[in-house]
Amino acid sequence: MSPTPRSNFLRTQIQADLDTGQTIKVVTRFPPEPNGYLHIGHAKSISVNFGLAEQFAGDCYLRFDDTNPEKESQEFIHSIQEDVRWLGYRWSGEVRYASSYFQQFYEWAIYLIDQQLAYVCDLSADEAREYRGSLTEPGRNSPSRDRSTEENRDLFERMRAGEFAEGARVLRAKIDMASPNINLRDPILYRIRRAHHHQTGDAWPIYPTYDFAHGQEDAIEGVTHSICTLEFEDHRPLYEWFINHLPVPHKPRQIEFARLNTSYTLTSKRLLKQLVDTGVVAGWDDPRMPTIAGLRRRGYPPQALRHFCEEVGTSRSDSTVDVAMLESAVRHQLNSEAPRAMCVLRPLKVIISNYQGEEHLWLPCHPNEPAMGMRSVPFSNTLYIDADDFREQANKKYKRLVIGKRVRLRGAYVIEAERCEVDPEGHIIAVHARLIDGTLGEDPADGFKPKGVIHWVSAATATSATIRLYDRLFTTPNPAQDDDVLTHVNPRSLEIIDDALIEPSLTSAMPEAVYQFEREGYFVADRYDFKEAAPVFNMTIGLRDTWGGDNA
Ligand code: ATP
Ligand code: MG
């Protein structure tokens, strides 16, 4: 179920349009360019667009804005669809592609030529830049601006036929070279590009610009509210100019909102691609990546992402959200849904002197959800506990196992440490302990209650597992502030433990299932690498925020 919608300016605007009858049925779209994997910022855009369609019983389309073939690929098209579905949204009808409207865009370009509203320009890129002027100076008309309609048509048709070299000519709208809005100074509609396109192959040697394509895509699809981020605000007059000067079947409206930025995170496909290309991470879906595929592989539940996107709100002012807020949404979700289990990350052997044989203890899969059932956990006289949970001596604050002191083994007995074995280098290699009789689910009869509870596994039935521990990928809250984001990469963002020990119930984990490893945190069975005989878990998140600074 989606979180309850809170009021925001988009919802208010759409409700007003429905009330006045200007909108009959709400149609939105999510329009990614397939030039990378989607990130957490896109999750926000997805939740805004699909969420509005859901709230107002309208349609939301998934449309690939594929006008830039060199940087796009089928891999990205595939991953984007998977991400949207995984977040729990369903687009209306078929997936749409801007490229399937190329013929229509071409005809509309000819229409503008015929209306004397577009011309073929011969300026080189450098000259065009010079003619464009600046924020303080008006631009100058291109010498090509007054070409006859016949000549423009002839040249544009020859551009389309592939007669000219890349960069030799462009098609431009004839608007106003003196406009204070640079986007209106005769913007480019078409460029010559000898690029193979993943959908249209070699059919087109010219490609429309984003500005010439986007609004017309919305118009063709009957989009009522074209929602985008604030950087397109200055493009809105151009968006409207096209809609008003072309014989479009429908007039969509562009509305902008502020991008979502989160601390310690990159939300730019270009910069994320750099991390992939330089091998800083293992791929776009590396669990350290803020991509939707990475967060998925990390074990973040889709409901937590949706919840976070709703919580951060939708506004028109740019800000950066503390990533701790996302992490807290993840913890909240997992605390209620993740089954509990035991995993010992750094095993230390414990030998119990006064216990023989083996028994099966039944432990609840979740302390507050009896419906999740019970699991069988074998117990014997040779166990493993975490090396951090034993000290030869310690002060009162240390509530774990200490020689001469007691601790409760989670879901099992109370034990008391008697002595430990140390190797020639001084490392503790085993602890000898005795079990206090009658302490299964009961306090010790002699009144000496243990202070702490520790997790454990039984040696004979534990399975060795690989555990990937993650830390933040960046050491600074705003890694993108610098030209070189690579200097902010945390060199210790990944630690691999390959001899952890897990209890038997974990070997049958389903890929992508998330567990709470008692006292350690949340861990997900890796969707690709987990095998029953060789389990691999990725750390999703710790049990509490250990990044003090953020929440303090
Ligand atoms: P990037 O800068 O990462 O390449 P983009 O805006 O170029 O992102 P698109 O594929 O064009 O990526 O984006 C698809 C949609 O997602 C657009 O409507 C865009 O406005 C929106 N979007 C992208 N980043 C964010 C963000 N950080 N917050 C909210 N919406 C975003
Ligand atoms: Mg873009």
Side-chain angles (χ1 to χ4, degrees), residues 33 35 210 232 269:
E33 183 180 357
N35 61 350
Y210 172 88
F232 292 105
K269 282 185 252 166

Side-chain angles (χ1 to χ4, degrees), residues 29-35 38-42 44-46 49 65 80 210 214 227-232 257-261 267-270 272:
R29 84 287 171 263
F30 173 61
E33 183 180 357
N35 61 350
L38 300 182
H39 51 63
I40 182 80
H42 294 110
K44 174 67 192 171
S45 175
I46 291 168
N49 283 294
D65 218 334
I80 289 170
Y210 172 88
H214 200 88
I227 294 157
C228 63
T229 34
L230 278 177
E231 69 270 25
F232 292 105
F257 73 102
R259 293 175 78 90
L260 168 67
N261 303 299
T267 43
S268 148
K269 282 185 252 166
R270 182 179 61 80
L272 292 171

Side-chain angles (χ1 to χ4, degrees), residues 164-276:
F164 307 122
E166 275 196 20
R169 301 197 146 93
V170 295
L171 184 72
R172 297 173 71 173
K174 194 187 274 193
I175 306 182
D176 179 8
M177 288 307 292
S179 172
N181 183 339
I182 295 190
N183 293 301
L184 295 178
R185 294 186 189 167
D186 292 10
I188 297 177
L189 309 186
Y190 269 93
R191 289 193 175 87
I192 300 172
R193 270 171 161 177
R194 314 247 158 217
H196 184 83
H197 190 288
H198 47 98
Q199 303 301 313
T200 58
D202 298 314
W204 293 90
I206 53 173
Y207 288 95
T209 53
Y210 172 88
D211 283 325
F212 186 58
H214 200 88
Q216 282 65 269
E217 295 157 19
D218 291 336
I220 292 170
E221 293 173 358
V223 168
T224 54
H225 299 83
S226 176
I227 294 157
C228 63
T229 34
L230 278 177
E231 69 270 25
F232 292 105
E233 189 173 14
D234 292 346
H235 294 242
R236 185 169 3 115
L238 181 56
Y239 182 103
E240 288 169 357
W241 189 91
F242 288 129
I243 295 298
N244 292 330
H245 288 86
L246 287 169
V248 290
H250 164 86
K251 289 183 190 264
R253 184 142 125 252
Q254 175 179 310
I255 312 180
E256 311 86 20
F257 73 102
R259 293 175 78 90
L260 168 67
N261 303 299
T262 47
S263 59
Y264 295 98
T265 310
L266 293 178
T267 43
S268 148
K269 282 185 252 166
R270 182 179 61 80
L271 295 176
L272 292 171
K273 183 174 189 301
Q274 199 186 344
L275 297 178
V276 175

